[in-house]
């Protein structure tokens, strides 16, 4: 087997769309490759969205399960990335709605202290990292305060780096609405995050 | 003159350099002369860069195993569930087919009626040419007889003349 054939077989250089096509034809190895590509980006997207790692991981799993069960719903007209982010985003929004309901009816919520965010363990150069982690935490809290419709677009744009057109497709809203929501979210966040901005300037 | 509100509205376009050159110059001029807008622009520029450096998470080591189990658990229970669904789908399908058959069969009945009505019309129309043909043929067939009985049937010939007009004869002749 030549090197090129081997690359095609292993799917190292295959596009997402090629992989999903292969998976639709019954190649489960292509599914594994898609999971490998998307598990961490999706985890970060959902974690920023709902602010809790374990639940975020659970939603990522549910996203891949949906992909596994509904692979034939994917049509080539859309990019695979926007399709999978749409599924994940919808699941995250559902989770937020459930939480809101739980908060309304749960007394224990008012008694319990707020759970700390799960920040990855990075032990090199402790001082600067501690500062970075604290800043990250403050940023996450500011993102949490945004309403879901602003939160989703700002995460996709400024953290995940999607284009406005891709975000419009993922969220299912017009391009102009995406742009104005991103703009308003940025203005709100700069208001709420004055402290960390001043700190860095000093 | 550009106001602070306009600058804030155009903020993302300004930062991402997607403004028309003229508008960009006007906004730039406003920012240079407005400390409040200048600060907002600097803040947003800083944050958009800072967001890209947010610490990223990795899935737990158990992720793949947990996903596999989840998929197994969800796909295993599917066959009996699917067959039960198929049954109900089958019944509802039958009901729909029966419904469609009933509607279409009644349609056919109606259309048959209308067909038979419309079929009658040509009959009526067809009878007209049938009537004409004998009229047109008569002069040809009758003419020799008429010639022999000219004296006897002179009156009737006169009566027939208008009927067996030149026009009709020509038509027969041209057909032949």
């Amino acid at each position: 087997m030549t090197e090129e054939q081997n690359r095609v077989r292993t799917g190292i250089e295959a596009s997402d769309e090629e992989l999903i096509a292969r998976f639709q034809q019954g190649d489960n190895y292509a599914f594994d490759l898609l999971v490998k590509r998307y598990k961490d980006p999706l985890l970060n997207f959902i974690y920023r969205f709902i602010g809790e790692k374990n639940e975020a991981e659970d939603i990522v799993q549910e996203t891949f399960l949906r992909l596994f069960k509904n692979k034939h719903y994917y049509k080539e007209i859309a990019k695979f990335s926007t399709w999978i982010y749409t599924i994940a985003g919808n699941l995250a929004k559902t989770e937020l709605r459930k939480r809101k309901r739980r908060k309304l009816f749960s007394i224990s919520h008012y008694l319990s202290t707020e759970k700390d965010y799960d920040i990855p363990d990075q032990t090199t150069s402790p001082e600067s990292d501690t500062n970075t982690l604290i800043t990250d935490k403050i940023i996450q809290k500011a993102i949490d305060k945004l309403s879901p419709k602003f939160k989703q677009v700002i995460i996709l744009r400024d953290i995940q780096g999607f284009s406005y057109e891709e975000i419009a497709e993922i969220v299912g809203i017009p391009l102009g609405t995406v742009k104005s929501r991103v703009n308003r979210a940025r203005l709100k966040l700069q208001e709420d995050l004055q402290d960390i901005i001043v700190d860095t300037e000093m | 003159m550009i106001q602070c509100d306009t600058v804030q509205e155009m903020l993302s376009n300004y930062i991402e350099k997607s403004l028309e050159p003229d508008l960009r110059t006007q906004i730039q001029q406003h920012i240079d002369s407005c400390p409040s807008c200048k600060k907002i622009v600097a803040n947003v520029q800083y944050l958009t860069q800072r967001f890209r450096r947010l610490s990223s998470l990795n899935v737990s080591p158990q992720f793949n195993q947990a996903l596999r189990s989840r998929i197994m658990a969800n796909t295993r229970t599917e066959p009996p569930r699917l067959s039960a669904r198929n049954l109900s789908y089958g019944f509802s399908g039958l009901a729909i087919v029966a419904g469609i058959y009933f509607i279409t069969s009644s349609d056919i009945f109606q259309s048959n009626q209308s067909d038979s009505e419309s079929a009658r019309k040509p009959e009526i129309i067809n009878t007209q040419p049938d009537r004409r043909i004998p009229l047109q043929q008569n002069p040809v067939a009758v003419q020799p007889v008429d010639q022999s009985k000219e004296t006897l049937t002179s009156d009737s010939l006169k009566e027939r003349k208008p009927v067996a007009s030149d026009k009709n004869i020509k038509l027969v002749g041209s057909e032949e």
Side-chain angles (χ1 to χ4, degrees):
Chain A
M1 190 179 280
T2 65
E3 201 181 317
E4 198 184 328
Q5 279 174 324
N6 195 42
R7 273 206 305 273
V8 170
R9 192 185 65 81
T10 54
I12 292 165
E13 288 182 0
S15 70
D16 295 342
E17 289 71 27
E18 282 166 353
L19 289 178
I20 180 72
R22 275 167 52 181
F23 177 46
Q24 284 173 333
Q25 285 156 16
D27 179 359
N28 282 359
Y29 181 66
F31 173 76
D32 290 347
L33 289 169
L34 286 169
V35 171
K36 199 177 171 188
R37 269 183 204 180
Y38 279 93
K39 59 184 179 182
D40 289 332
L42 284 177
L43 178 73
N44 283 284
F45 166 55
I46 296 165
Y47 167 68
R48 296 291 164 204
F49 209 148
I50 66 171
E52 210 280 312
K53 195 198 165 186
N54 290 335
E55 276 181 49
E57 193 160 315
D58 190 61
I59 290 173
V60 176
Q61 293 219 354
E62 187 59 32
T63 305
F64 286 126
L65 176 66
R66 301 269 172 112
L67 164 63
F68 193 89
K69 287 167 79 178
N70 305 320
K71 60 184 171 184
H72 291 294
Y73 285 102
Y74 171 78
K75 301 277 176 259
E76 265 180 87
I77 42 165
K79 274 175 80 177
F80 175 77
S81 58
T82 57
W83 188 65
I84 195 90
Y85 269 83
T86 306
I87 299 172
N90 288 340
L91 288 170
K93 273 191 266 184
T94 308
E95 173 59 27
L96 285 180
R97 274 199 293 271
K98 273 189 211 161
R99 273 195 205 174
K100 208 175 173 185
R101 245 176 278 144
R102 254 181 268 146
K103 267 187 192 176
L104 280 173
F105 297 105
S106 163
I107 302 163
S108 61
H109 167 75
Y110 298 100
L111 302 172
S112 65
T113 53
E114 205 172 304
K115 198 178 174 184
D116 266 357
Y117 298 113
D118 214 343
I119 302 277
D121 211 14
Q122 289 170 335
T123 44
T124 50
S125 74
E127 241 177 75
S128 64
D129 272 2
T130 308
N131 282 340
T132 305
L133 291 181
I134 290 168
T135 311
D136 281 4
K137 212 168 163 181
I138 294 166
I139 291 171
Q140 183 59 45
K141 280 194 175 181
I143 293 171
D144 283 344
K145 280 205 276 176
L146 295 172
S147 68
K149 64 179 186 179
F150 291 109
K151 202 187 284 186
Q152 190 177 15
V153 293
I154 200 71
I155 295 168
L156 290 169
R157 179 68 188 162
D158 284 348
I159 302 175
Q160 301 269 317
F162 278 99
S163 71
Y164 286 116
E165 288 78 8
E166 286 170 328
I167 298 169
E169 210 175 299
I170 291 168
V171 185
I173 54 172
L175 188 63
T177 313
V178 175
K179 286 184 175 176
S180 78
R181 280 186 191 176
V182 167
N183 198 55
R184 284 175 65 188
R186 281 174 176 167
L187 286 167
K188 179 81 178 77
L189 286 171
Q190 71 84 31
E191 255 176 54
D192 291 355
L193 293 168
Q194 296 280 339
D195 293 344
I196 66 155
I197 297 164
V198 171
D199 281 347
T200 53
E201 279 173 355
M202 282 164 76
Chain B
M1 189 70 189
I2 286 210
Q3 302 295 311
C4 293
D5 285 355
T6 313
V7 173
Q8 289 189 17
E9 229 170 79
M10 300 283 165
L11 185 70
S12 290
N13 291 322
Y14 173 79
I15 290 168
E16 288 160 359
K17 299 188 168 85
S18 58
L19 284 174
E20 295 291 313
D22 283 355
L23 189 56
R24 186 174 173 79
T25 313
Q26 287 179 56
I27 286 175
Q28 185 62 57
Q29 282 168 352
H30 176 94
I31 291 167
D32 290 341
S33 61
C34 174
S36 145
C37 283
K38 196 174 189 172
K39 190 170 181 257
I40 290 172
V41 170
N43 285 354
V44 172
Q45 271 174 329
Y46 168 79
L47 284 178
T48 50
Q49 285 166 14
R50 180 64 184 78
F51 283 176
R52 295 286 168 96
R53 289 185 281 113
L54 276 171
S55 49
S56 60
L57 302 179
N58 297 318
V59 295
S60 63
Q62 304 84 33
F63 183 87
N64 286 346
Q65 186 55 48
L67 178 60
R68 207 164 293 135
S69 310
R70 198 169 182 147
I71 288 170
M72 294 284 278
N74 277 277
T75 45
R76 239 187 239 159
T77 51
E78 252 178 25
R81 223 192 286 163
L82 267 178
S83 63
R85 272 183 200 165
N86 281 345
L87 266 178
S88 63
Y89 287 152
F91 281 124
S92 52
L94 266 176
I96 290 164
V97 168
I100 290 167
Y101 178 75
F102 179 75
I103 292 160
T104 49
S105 62
S106 59
D107 274 349
I108 289 162
F109 178 67
Q110 281 174 352
S111 63
N112 276 346
Q113 277 185 324
S114 62
D115 278 351
S116 58
E117 277 168 10
S118 60
R120 276 177 209 154
K121 285 174 188 170
E123 275 173 28
I124 296 161
I125 294 160
N126 283 339
T127 55
Q128 288 171 336
D130 284 345
R131 262 188 222 155
R132 275 181 207 142
I133 292 161
L135 275 176
Q136 288 165 351
Q137 283 171 346
N138 274 345
V140 180
V142 171
Q143 260 174 3
V145 180
D146 286 347
Q147 280 171 348
S148 65
K149 294 176 180 179
E150 209 174 7
T151 52
L152 289 170
T153 58
S154 57
D155 285 343
S156 62
L157 261 176
K158 272 176 195 170
E159 278 170 12
R160 280 187 186 183
K161 262 179 189 171
V163 180
S165 66
D166 291 346
K167 207 179 176 183
N168 282 342
I169 292 158
K170 269 176 197 169
L171 272 169
V172 173
S174 66
E175 273 172 19
E176 282 172 346

